[in-house]
Amino acid sequence: MKYFNKTLLAAAVALASTQTMAAGFQLNSHSATGVGRAFAGDAVIADNASVLSRNPAAMALFDSTALSFGVTYADIDVTVKDVCLSDAPVCFGSEDAAAEAKIIPNFYYINPVNDKWAFGVAAFSNFGTGTDAGALANNAVTIPGIGTIPAPVDLLGNTEVVTMNLNASLSYRVNDQLSLGAGIDLIYGKGKLTREGALPVPGVGMTNINLVNVDADGWALGGIVGAVYEFNADNRIGMSYRFSPEFKASGDISQFVRQAGAAANFDEIVIPLPDIFQIAGFHQLTEKFAVHYTAQFTSWGDFKEITLEDGHLGDTAIPSSQLKHYAWDDSWLFSVGGTYQLSDTWTLRGGVMHDKGVVGEISSISIPDSDRNWYTLGASYTLSHNSTIDFGVAFIRGEDVEVLEQSAIYPKELTNGLVVAHTRSNATYYSMQYSYKF
């Protein structure tokens, strides 16, 4: 245990420095109508202005000005159970409420200029996550004859990321069948991350150490292109490709440097965001019933590493360095839904979706991820000839996942520094939206 205490801080920073602000999972909560049909056909249905979040070319389907705005309440349920040393009888407890509920707003406006051109503006979110297992960071375990073993504080803490897209788009109708569109995304992002907890310091005892602290925000520029092809009035397909940037954020960014026994400060944190491609179809089978579907690809394989840039410790400059290498996988989701016109005032919808997780070879306690299934229901009530109010609810159920992650605070002699935990991520979305056609 003497060896353990002497090498603790030296090892802790090796991994803590790689656990800075992490990329969030993708949000699919752009509208109440989308939530209600599991986002099936969202890039081509164009029943309200929220289609702008998925496909700018679909603005060509509007013959009058349209406005939509709403909010989604995401009730997130993340559990982190049985955080233990691998192959050792040492456990640090569980966290049954490792995430907080989120409110996600949206706004869309589409204005047809003439029978060829239309423009629109929108505000919505594509990425976001928030987990907090910091309560476990101080759960040190004392074993008679061995000593005090701290919790893996480099793996436990608060991780929160959110982005907001401010979009401006144009569409052009080429002919009766084909429409094209393009837009610019001004993306605002904000993130917080802390990694701190009680660690044994030789000659001092258990001491709270702040390994990593990030509170940063920034702006980046992205874009989207899309197309819609109409076979006839009842059948059409659409596709879009969203280009996401390498995101840079600045603010309070610090990392503990073991050699100096102090924190270094950095000017920027750099996070690559994935691109998003989707294809969707809509088919009006009868006067009252339609089916629709979506296949969406997200290039999470582009999320390879997070880096810090322009660092300094006193008068000493610290060069840019890789903080963590990720082996994430590209991800697909598939959804299918239906819409039924119950009466002149009520429209019902529903859908199911399978959403593939992104975590591959390298798993993480702070980013609990797995394959997820979505089960959704929704309805629209016509208030007048021009306005509707829309509702949607989605039940998202993830899988139980065993996470095996390397902690740098334990020497190799102690289970190779491996920590095992079991995570599960569920959620329920409640969404409401108001839409108006002028």
Side-chain angles (χ1 to χ4, degrees), residues 98-317:
E100 295 182 353
K102 302 294 181 183
I103 295 177
I104 310 166
N106 56 72
F107 172 85
Y108 309 96
Y109 175 80
I110 293 174
N111 185 20
V113 178
N114 51 42
D115 59 356
K116 289 288 187 179
W117 291 94
F119 76 88
V121 293
F124 55 93
S125 181
N126 267 331
F127 301 101
T129 186
T131 60
D132 190 355
L136 303 179
N138 292 312
N139 289 357
V141 175
T142 300
I143 300 178
I146 297 179
T148 299
I149 300 177
V153 300
D154 52 341
L155 309 183
L156 304 171
N158 180 46
T159 303
E160 185 173 356
V161 178
V162 64
T163 67
M164 176 64 72
N165 281 43
L166 303 177
N167 172 271
S169 295
L170 286 171
S171 69
Y172 178 73
R173 179 171 285 280
V174 178
N175 52 44
D176 290 342
Q177 282 75 45
L178 180 64
S179 302
L180 304 176
I184 295 175
D185 290 324
L186 184 60
I187 305 170
Y188 173 76
K190 182 176 179 62
K192 293 183 179 181
L193 184 140
T194 58
R195 294 291 184 269
E196 64 176 314
L199 296 174
V201 177
V204 178
M206 295 297 291
T207 303
N208 189 75
I209 302 294
N210 193 334
L211 298 176
V212 176
N213 184 67
V214 174
D215 188 354
D217 64 354
W219 295 87
L221 197 63
I224 185 172
V225 295
V228 169
Y229 188 84
E230 301 171 70
F231 299 97
N232 52 48
D234 295 327
N235 299 276
R236 54 186 179 270
I237 60 172
M239 63 181 66
S240 67
Y241 193 97
R242 171 160 265 119
F243 303 90
S244 297
E246 183 179 72
F247 189 84
K248 294 185 177 182
S250 59
D252 296 326
I253 305 170
S254 64
Q255 167 195 345
F256 188 80
V257 179
R258 64 177 178 85
Q259 295 92 338
N265 296 309
F266 293 82
D267 291 341
E268 288 186 326
I269 185 169
V270 181
I271 306 169
L273 296 177
D275 293 346
I276 304 169
F277 168 77
Q278 62 184 295
I279 183 168
F282 172 82
H283 306 283
Q284 189 74 42
L285 300 184
T286 70
E287 183 179 352
K288 290 183 174 292
F289 180 69
V291 297
H292 25 87
Y293 47 86
T294 288
Q296 179 176 285
F297 170 84
T298 305
S299 64
W300 280 112
D302 293 338
F303 184 68
K304 297 182 183 300
E305 64 183 22
I306 295 177
T307 58
L308 296 182
E309 293 186 348
D310 301 326
H312 57 90
L313 180 61
D315 295 329
T316 302

Side-chain angles (χ1 to χ4, degrees), residues 25 76-84 93-99 131-133 136 155-157 357 359 362-372 397-405 419-427:
F25 54 81
I76 311 297
D77 178 20
V78 175
T79 59
V80 180
K81 293 184 177 181
D82 303 325
V83 179
C84 304
S94 302
E95 178 59 65
D96 293 329
T131 60
D132 190 355
L136 303 179
L155 309 183
L156 304 171
V359 174
I362 301 176
S363 55
S364 173
I365 295 174
S366 63
I367 312 177
D369 191 39
S370 69
D371 292 357
R372 291 175 292 271
R397 295 296 176 260
E399 299 176 347
D400 290 317
V401 176
E402 183 178 83
V403 178
L404 193 63
E405 190 170 8
V419 175
V420 63
H422 295 83
T423 66
R424 186 179 181 92
S425 181
N426 297 329

Side-chain angles (χ1 to χ4, degrees), residues 1-56:
M1 200 62 187
K2 181 179 179 181
Y3 170 80
F4 176 66
N5 286 336
K6 286 183 176 180
T7 61
L8 180 63
L9 287 180
V13 178
L15 188 63
S17 62
T18 72
Q19 292 292 318
T20 56
M21 186 166 59
F25 54 81
Q26 187 173 350
L27 293 176
N28 280 303
S29 55
H30 298 137
S31 68
T33 46
V35 168
R37 57 181 170 240
F39 320 108
D42 260 17
V44 75
I45 291 181
D47 49 358
N48 58 65
S50 65
V51 70
L52 185 53
S53 66
R54 304 286 188 172
N55 188 358

Side-chain angles (χ1 to χ4, degrees), residues 355 372-376 394-398 425-429:
D355 188 5
R372 291 175 292 271
N373 292 314
W374 296 58
Y375 310 96
T376 74
F395 304 95
I396 303 106
R397 295 296 176 260
S425 181
N426 297 329
T428 304
Y429 283 9

